[in-house]
Amino acid sequence: MQFMLLFSRQGKLRLQKWYVAHPDKLKKKITRELITTILARKPKMCSFLEWKDVKIVYKRYASLYFCCAIEQDANELLTLEIIHRYVELLDKYFGSVCELDIIFNFEKAYFILDELLLGGEIQETSKKNVLKAIAAQDLLQEEETPQGFFEDHGLG
């Protein structure tokens, strides 16, 4: 996989993960073109399309589009399965994930994605293992934030 983008029906980019290096200007151009192309497609159209030198695989869940670019010889159905697995993990973690969960907890969304994929390749197939790693990370974060810190500083 070369990259994954999450964007809203309004075309707002919510998350992006690049596994192939591109200059920022090119990333913006690719993102803009893909969002425009996918949003213009009818709901009943195929979720795969040939675009430049890659294949694009996308799926809409509620108000979010999950879009991946893969090599020409990569398996589209496997990519759809990876997207679905990611959505299942987000759902399990957030309890029916929505766009606001991604906006306000983007670091968690990235962490979940990083537990699932490494360098654009599937790293962990077990949802249970991914969720265990996330729970361990949450526990670590809680231990690092001293209890009462926010209240003591008028932030709680």
Side-chain angles (χ1 to χ4, degrees), residues 7-150:
F7 55 91
S8 69
R9 287 185 310 202
Q10 293 75 35
K12 297 267 189 243
L13 187 62
R14 298 300 182 205
L15 187 132
Q16 59 180 329
K17 187 71 176 188
W18 297 81
Y19 300 106
V20 174
H22 293 296
D24 284 345
K25 196 172 180 180
L26 182 58
K27 285 181 189 178
K28 283 185 175 71
K29 185 177 188 280
I30 290 170
T31 302
R32 194 172 45 250
E33 283 181 29
L34 274 179
I35 290 173
T36 305
T37 302
I38 291 170
L39 289 177
R41 292 172 63 87
K42 297 193 174 18
K44 296 271 187 223
M45 291 176 91
C46 180
S47 292
F48 313 142
L49 60 122
E50 300 280 329
W51 188 78
K52 301 198 180 199
D53 60 339
V54 295
K55 279 193 276 192
I56 302 299
V57 178
Y58 69 93
K59 181 97 172 102
R60 181 178 155 196
Y61 288 89
S63 66
L64 284 174
Y65 284 88
F66 292 72
C67 168
C68 297
I70 57 174
E71 287 74 25
Q72 289 292 343
D73 59 346
N75 186 327
E76 301 97 335
L77 295 176
L78 182 61
T79 306
L80 268 181
E81 187 57 38
I82 290 169
I83 291 171
H84 188 69
R85 177 61 49 103
Y86 183 47
V87 171
E88 285 178 325
L89 286 164
L90 290 171
D91 268 347
K92 278 234 189 307
Y93 184 78
F94 290 110
S96 189
V97 68
C98 69
E99 192 176 342
L100 287 176
D101 291 321
I102 304 292
I103 293 168
F104 292 116
N105 300 290
F106 64 89
E107 70 286 341
K108 287 292 174 208
Y110 277 113
F111 187 78
I112 294 168
L113 184 59
D114 290 343
E115 284 297 314
L116 180 65
L117 296 173
L118 183 66
E121 300 287 332
I122 195 90
Q123 172 180 267
E124 179 58 73
T125 56
S126 164
K127 283 187 281 191
K128 192 190 287 181
N129 286 348
V130 171
L131 291 168
K132 257 195 253 176
I134 295 159
Q137 182 67 26
D138 284 349
L139 196 61
L140 196 63
Q141 267 185 319
E142 282 175 28
E143 289 170 5
E144 286 178 5
T145 306
Q147 206 62 3
F149 171 85
F150 294 109

